[in-house]
Amino acid sequence: MINRPTDTIRSKQKKQAGLLALFFLLLPVVCGLLPDTAFANNVSVSNVKLQNLDAAAGTIEIKFDVSWDNYFNGTDANDQAFFDRAWVFAKFYRADTGVWDHVPLSTGGTVAAYNTTDKTGITADGVGAFLKPGANQTFVWQYTHVPVTLTIASPCVVTYTNHGLPANSPITFSTTGALPTGITAGNTYYVKAPTANTFNISTSPGQANVNTSGSQSGQQRINAPAIMFGDNVQVKVFAIEMVYIPQGAFTVGSGGTEAGRFREGATTNTPYEITTEGAISIANTAGNLWGVSTSGNSTIGTTGTLPVAFPKGYNGFFVMKYETTQGQYRDFLNSLTRAQQNNRIYTQNSNYFTFYNSSTTVNYRNGIRNPNPVPASPTPITFGCDLNNNGVFNEASDGEWVGCNYPTYYDARAYLDWAGLRFMTELEFEKAARGGGVTPVADAYAWGTTDVTAATGLTDSGTKNETVTPSGANTAYNNPSAIGGPLRAGFAATAASNRVQSGASYYGVMDLSGNNWEKVISVGSTDGRAYTGLHGDGCLASDGAGNVTGWPTYNGQGLRGGGFYDSSLVYQLLSNRTNGVWTDSGRNQNVGFRGARTAA
Ligand SMILES: [Ca+2]
Ligand SMILES: [Ca+2]
Ligand SMILES: [Ca+2]
C-alpha cells in the first residue's frame, strides 16, 4: 500500500526585492532571503525570486522550487487515479501600507492554466495552483490587479485593506466570475469617501454613489497599482500538501453500530451509496439517504433535499493530507492586520499562549504564543510556536508540526478563505476515508479496519520526528497523561508503515480518525445543506472574518473523526456521527480542521 510521509506541511520563503532595481537590472535582487525555517517539512518551497518585471504590462514573475517526500499515486476500486499535489499560493507585502495581500496569479510563466486531466496548474480564479514537485517554477503576478471585496448594496462599498487611494482616484474593475449589477468591467470609476480600508465609488469625480444589485461570483479585482516602483515588496509563497480524491461512487454508513450513522431509507442498517453529484433526497424511504438518529447532535435532520450545489464527494476534490498544523495557523496569523489578528485569537496578553487566556502554561499541547511584549495596536503581532515553553520561538521542539487544536469555527472559516480553500462536507469526509467503490467494513476506522493500537507516550516531543509509544500505535484517546494533547500531524507514518500502522485513509489522508476532531459541513442541518462549496478568494474582511458567499454560520457545522481527549475510541469510527451537527461557536482543545477544494 501507500506509505505516507512522516511530516507536515507548511512552508514559506520570503524574498525582498526593490522593484526599481529590478526594473533597471531585469535581474532578481536577492536581499533579505530568509533561511529555510521550513526544514524537514514535508512540503518545501525554496529559492523564491522575483524576476522579469514588465512595467508596461504591470507583471512580474514569481519563481520558486517546490518539493516534498513520498510523492505518490495509486488507483482506487473505481479504477480512478489518485495522487498528491501541493496547493501553492502567494501573498505580497507593501512596506508603505504594512499589509499582506493575496497575489492573483496569471499564466504566462512555466505554470499553465489548470488542466483537468493532470489536475495541475493555476485555477480559473487565479487564487492558487496545484503543482507537482519541481524546481524553477514560475507564476506571473499581474501586480496592477488587487483582490477586493464588493458589497451588493446602496451604496456599494469596496473593501481594500490599507488601500492608500485618495478621493477621486480613477480605478477600473475586473473579475474572475461576475461583477454585481451596477459595475461594468473596464469602465472607469472614481474613489469616493475613502476610509483606511474601504471606499465608495462614483462614475465621475464627486458624483453620486454607485449602487449595486443582483449577485456576484469569483474574485473581484481593482485595477490599481498594488506596488509602485521603488516600493519595498516582500512575497511569501505557501504550499499545502493535498490529496486528490477522484470522481466515483462511494458508500456512506458502514452497516455497523456507530451513533448517527448514515443508512439508506426504509432499511434497518444498509449503507447508502452516493452515485451522483446531483440532488439527493433525504428521507426514510427506499432509495434515499437517511440516518439512524433523528435527534440531538447525531441527527440526520428533517426530510428534505441535498441540493445539486452541496459537495457530495462523488465528483473529484482535493483534501488536505494533514490536519491544519500549529505552524500553519501561526503563519496565517502573521499575515494579518492587527484588527484581523485580534478576532482570530483568544488573548492579546504579552507572553500568553494565544488560544488560552490567563496562562503562560501550555494547554493541551497548543504552543502558539504571543511575544513578550506584544506591540501596541495597530502594529501586527508576530506569533511564534513555543511548545517547549522557554520563551524562544520556533525551535526544533516547538511543535509547529502538531495538529492545531482550539480554533473556533470562525477561525477555521477565515483560515480556509485566506488559503483559497473551503470546508469539506461530511460526505466528502467519508469518501476520503473509506475510498470510492469500497465495500464498507462495519465499525471501521479511517484506516479501513477495526484494529486499533492506542498511543500512551511520546518520543521526540514537539519535533518534526515526533512519534509515539508503543511502537505501532496509530491513534490516541482518553488524553494520555504522557501525551496531553494532539500529536504531530501524520505522526504514525514511517517509510515502512502500512495503511493501518500509519493511520492513513484509503487515499493516504492522515489522521481522519483521531488526533483532533475535524470541522465539516453537516448534512443534518438546514444551514449545512445550504452550503454550495464556493472557494475562498485569499482575502478576508477588514475584521478578519472569512466572507465567502454561502459558507454557513457555525450552525451548519459538524464534527467528525474523534479526538485525543475523548474517553472512548468509538468517536473515531469513520461513520460515527455523534457530533454530525455541532452548533458551537467556541474553542475546544479537542477540535481542529482541514481544508478541501473542488477539482474541476
Ligand atoms: Ca521554544
Ligand atoms: Ca482528525
Ligand atoms: Ca474572502
Side-chain angles (χ1 to χ4, degrees), residues 307-389:
V308 172
F310 185 92
K312 299 174 191 69
Y314 176 80
N315 282 348
F317 63 99
F318 283 90
V319 64
M320 282 168 60
K321 187 170 183 176
Y322 306 100
E323 295 174 0
T324 304
T325 63
Q326 296 180 21
Q328 287 178 308
Y329 198 85
R330 169 203 60 195
D331 292 345
F332 158 70
L333 290 175
N334 286 343
S335 76
L336 303 183
T337 67
R338 183 63 175 272
Q340 291 172 329
Q341 288 175 338
N342 291 346
N343 286 318
R344 301 280 66 93
I345 61 177
Y346 190 89
T347 178
Q348 301 176 53
N349 288 353
S350 294
N351 208 31
Y352 281 28
F353 285 90
T354 303
F355 280 133
Y356 200 85
N357 205 5
S358 70
S359 178
T360 54
T361 303
V362 173
N363 293 275
Y364 299 106
R365 304 199 83 217
N366 191 304
I368 302 175
R369 191 170 197 174
N370 302 344
N372 190 18
V374 164
S377 199
T379 302
I381 300 169
T382 301
F383 299 87
C385 290
D386 190 27
L387 184 62
N388 66 14
N389 199 1

Side-chain angles (χ1 to χ4, degrees), residues 386 388 390 392-393 395 398:
D386 190 27
N388 66 14
N390 65 355
V392 181
F393 288 179
E395 296 176 292
D398 272 334

Side-chain angles (χ1 to χ4, degrees), residues 149 417 536-540 546-548:
T149 60
D417 186 2
D537 62 4
C539 309
L540 302 180
N547 54 3
V548 181

